[in-house]
Amino acid sequence: MTALDLSSPVAVVGTGTMGQGIAQVALVAGHPVRLYDAAPGLARKAADAIGSRLDRLVEKERLAADERDAARARLTPVDDLSGLAGCSLVVEAVVERLDVKQELFRALEDVVADDCLLATNTSSLSVTAIGGALRVPGRFVGLHFFNPAPLLPLVEVVSGFATDFGAATRAYETARAWGKTPVACADTPGFIVNRVARPFYAEAFAVYEAQGADPATVDAVLRESGGFRMGAFELTDLIGQDVNESVTQSVWQAFFQDVRFRPSLAQRRLVESGRLGRKTGHGWYDHREGAERPEPHTAEPAEPPAYVVAEGDLGPAAELLDLIREAGIEVREAEEDEGTRLALPSGGQLVLADGQLSAEFADVVYFDLALDYRRATRIALSHAGHTSAETVAQATGLFQALGKKVSVIGDVPGMIVARTVARIIDLAVETVAQGVATEEDVDTAMRLGVNYPLGPFEWSRRLGRGWAGALLDEMHEVDPCGRYAPSLALYRYACATDQREDTP
C-alpha cells in the first residue's frame, strides 16, 4: 500500500490553527486541497491566511515563488460538505467533542466514495469511538499532527479497533510522503505522546504540592540537569493550563481514574482562577509586560571537601568520579566496594536519588539524576531537617567545585529528574508491552513530539534495565498510594536480557 497520488484531492474540515496547518502541509506536498468550515466565510479566510504564510515562506527563501503560485492555485475553499466529493482523504480538525466528530463523519460518508480515507486529528478522544459511528469504519484512522503542523515533524498514525491495515498503511505512507515522521500506534488514551508524557507534568506538580521546590527551581533542574528543552511549569504555561489539564483529565478518565494519571489539584486551582498561562498573561509565571521572572533557588558558595570516599561506582553517576578528580579533589576508594555513594569528611554520605528519603537515615544528602553530569549546569540536592549542616555544606561545595549551580530542595523521594524519568520509562515500557507501539516508535515520538533529550528506551539502556523499577519500588514503599508502583511490564522488562542462559 503506497501513499496517495499527488493528483488526489485532500480535504481539511475545520479551519482553526491546526486545520490550516494540516492544509498547508498537504498543499506544499503537492496535493489539491479543499477547505471546509461549518461557520460561513471561515474557509475563505483560512485560505487567505494560508496564502499569506506561503508568501512569508517565499520571503524567507524556503519556497520558490512559482511553487507558491502553484500551491495557491490548488487551494479551494468550499461552502458545503458536498464540495468535498471526489476527495481521496478528508482530515478533520474540529472541536474536541465526540458527538460533533461522529456527526461530521456520518455526513461525510454520504458525500465521499467508500475508498476515501477518513482521518481525525483528535489528540484526546478515542479513534475507535469516533469511527464506530461509521458505515465503513475500516477506512477510518487517526492522523495526530502536532502544533504547529507545518514545522513539527511528528505524526501519530492511530489505528482504531476497526481500522483496516491497508488504510493505516496508506495514511502512514502519505504522512511520510508529506515530509513528516510518522509513528504507528494502536488506539489508546493519549496515544503515545500524551500517554507517556503525563509524568513530566505530574511529578513536577507533585514536588511543588509537597512543598519540595518552587516552579522556577523545578523548571531549572529539569532543564539544566535533566536536559529537557523546557521545564514542566513553563511548558504548561505555553500550552495553556486549561488545554494541558484537559488532556490529563481525558487520559485519567479513559484509564478508569488510574492513580498514575491523577490530575493535579494545584493545576485545577490555576485553571479555576483563570490563570491559563501566556494567553491570559499569567499562569505559574507572570507573563505580563514588565513582570520579573522568578529566579530558581541557588545555594550560596560553600567550601568543597578535601576528599571524598567512593563506596562503589556510583552507577548512573559514575562519571562524577572523573569530574571530582579533575577538580583537584582527592577520591579515595573504600575498602569494601559496595553501594553507590560518596562518603564525606563530615561523616555524612552523598547518595544518588534512589526513591528513599533523607529522613530515613542519620546523615545523608541526596543528589539528583542528570542527563550528562559533565554538561549539566545545575544539580539538585535534598536533605532532611536533621542532616548535619556540615554535610550539606560539603555536598554543596563539592558540586560547586565541579562548576555546577546547586539547588537545595525539600526531602522528596526520587527528587525531580530521577522520579520523572523513572515514571516515563515505566509508562513507555507498559505501552510497548500492551502492543500499542514499538520501542523505536515510542522513542521517536517522545523525541520529536515533546523534544525529550532521549527516548525512554534510550534512557533506560543508559541507566540500566532495572534502574527505573528499583527507584519506583522504593518510592512505592515510602508512598504506597499506587501511583509509584512499577508496572508488571517494567518488572518483566527489568528481568529480561538479550539471551537468558539460566533456567529455573
Side-chain angles (χ1 to χ4, degrees):
M1 190 66 66
T2 58
L4 293 175
D5 188 89
L6 288 180
S7 64
S8 302
V10 171
V12 177
V13 178
T15 58
T17 301
M18 184 58 77
Q20 290 182 33
I22 296 170
Q24 181 179 330
V25 170
L27 194 64
V28 172
H31 289 272
V33 174
R34 301 176 195 173
L35 288 175
Y36 170 77
D37 198 290
L42 284 190
R44 200 161 300 280
K45 288 183 180 179
D48 291 341
I50 292 170
S52 296
R53 284 200 291 273
L54 294 178
D55 288 340
R56 289 196 291 274
L57 290 177
V58 172
E59 291 170 5
K60 296 177 181 178
E61 298 185 348
R62 295 178 183 173
L63 187 70
D66 59 338
E67 292 174 329
R68 173 201 57 197
D69 296 341
R72 277 183 163 174
R74 294 193 301 270
L75 182 60
T76 306
V78 300
D79 298 324
D80 191 86
L81 276 182
S82 61
L84 306 186
C87 286
S88 297
L89 167 65
V90 181
V91 183
E92 162 274 316
V94 302
V95 63
E96 285 285 270
R97 279 181 47 188
L98 179 61
D99 59 336
V100 172
K101 293 178 188 291
Q102 288 177 329
E103 182 180 354
L104 168 64
F105 282 110
R106 279 194 294 261
L108 280 168
E109 281 198 305
D110 294 333
V111 173
V112 299
D114 284 355
D115 62 351
C116 173
L117 276 175
L118 297 179
T120 175
N121 183 59
T122 184
S123 61
S124 59
L125 297 177
S126 166
V127 171
T128 299
I130 300 171
L134 301 184
R135 176 173 49 82
V136 187
R139 44 86 170 267
F140 187 73
V141 66
L143 277 178
H144 181 212
F145 289 77
F146 288 73
N147 194 29
L151 297 180
L152 294 187
L154 184 69
V155 176
E156 292 177 313
V157 182
V158 186
S159 293
F161 188 78
T163 302
D164 291 335
F165 177 77
T169 302
R170 172 152 287 184
Y172 183 98
E173 293 300 333
T174 297
R176 185 157 64 177
W178 290 358
K180 297 301 181 182
T181 302
V183 292
C185 67
D187 187 22
T188 186
F191 311 141
I192 298 173
V193 172
N194 280 329
R195 174 178 176 171
V196 177
R198 291 343 305 154
F200 180 74
Y201 314 107
E203 294 312 308
F205 299 160
V207 170
Y208 169 76
E209 289 173 340
Q211 300 292 293
D214 61 276
T217 300
V218 173
D219 281 353
V221 172
L222 286 169
R223 289 193 315 269
E224 299 174 42
S225 183
F228 292 96
R229 185 76 61 84
M230 298 180 74
F233 295 94
E234 57 191 344
L235 180 55
T236 53
D237 265 3
L238 177 63
I239 295 169
Q241 298 303 328
D242 53 338
V243 174
N244 182 260
E245 195 214 23
S246 176
V247 174
T248 299
Q249 290 276 358
S250 176
V251 172
W252 179 58
Q253 294 289 356
F255 277 111
F256 308 104
Q257 299 187 355
D258 186 331
V259 68
R260 296 176 302 164
F261 299 100
R262 184 178 62 209
S264 161
L265 181 59
Q267 188 179 41
R268 176 92 291 263
R269 293 291 179 259
L270 209 62
V271 173
E272 289 174 338
S273 71
R275 293 187 170 189
L276 306 182
R278 289 181 180 273
K279 61 187 177 184
T280 61
H282 208 306
W284 295 109
Y285 298 104
D286 188 343
H287 299 281
R288 293 170 296 187
E289 187 175 353
E292 291 187 12
R293 179 69 176 261
E295 292 294 325
H297 176 270
T298 302
E300 294 295 326
E303 286 295 320
Y307 66 89
V308 295
V309 181
E311 299 179 354
D313 63 3
L314 295 189
E319 64 184 321
L320 277 178
L321 296 178
D322 286 338
L323 298 181
I324 293 169
R325 292 186 182 97
E326 291 168 16
I329 299 171
E330 181 185 359
V331 177
R332 301 175 183 176
E333 302 292 337
E335 294 182 5
E336 295 183 5
D337 189 20
E338 296 181 359
T340 53
R341 53 187 177 265
L342 293 173
L344 299 170
S346 64
Q349 294 179 328
L350 187 57
V351 183
L352 175 63
D354 59 8
Q356 298 183 86
L357 293 168
S358 294
E360 301 175 58
F361 305 99
D363 196 15
V364 165
V365 170
Y366 276 108
F367 66 95
D368 207 352
L369 181 70
L371 173 69
D372 183 330
Y373 283 100
R374 184 173 291 277
R375 295 183 179 180
T377 57
R378 183 179 300 270
I379 295 293
L381 303 180
S382 68
H383 64 88
H386 62 250
T387 306
S388 76
E390 187 180 9
T391 294
V392 175
Q394 289 181 0
T396 301
L398 175 65
F399 281 103
Q400 289 173 340
L402 306 186
K404 319 298 182 188
K405 295 178 181 177
V406 174
S407 290
V408 181
I409 68 171
D411 189 16
V412 289
M415 302 194 67
I416 297 172
V417 179
R419 69 194 286 165
T420 300
V421 171
R423 289 210 57 223
I424 288 171
I425 290 172
D426 187 20
L427 290 188
V429 169
E430 185 181 61
T431 297
V432 171
Q434 292 176 348
V436 173
T438 64
E439 291 186 10
E440 181 181 3
D441 277 352
V442 169
D443 276 357
T444 297
M446 302 314 291
R447 280 189 282 100
L448 298 184
V450 278
N451 288 312
Y452 284 4
L454 293 175
F457 290 94
E458 293 175 301
W459 224 321
S460 181
R461 287 189 290 272
R462 177 182 289 197
L463 297 169
R465 277 179 176 262
W467 177 85
L471 185 138
L472 292 175
D473 263 332
E474 294 290 355
M475 289 193 68
H476 179 57
E477 185 171 336
V478 172
D479 183 6
C481 64
R483 179 186 181 109
Y484 301 106
S487 66
L488 178 60
L490 185 63
Y491 178 77
R492 287 175 171 153
Y493 174 81
C495 291
T497 57
D498 292 336
Q499 290 184 340
R500 250 192 119 69
E501 299 178 355
D502 55 318
T503 57

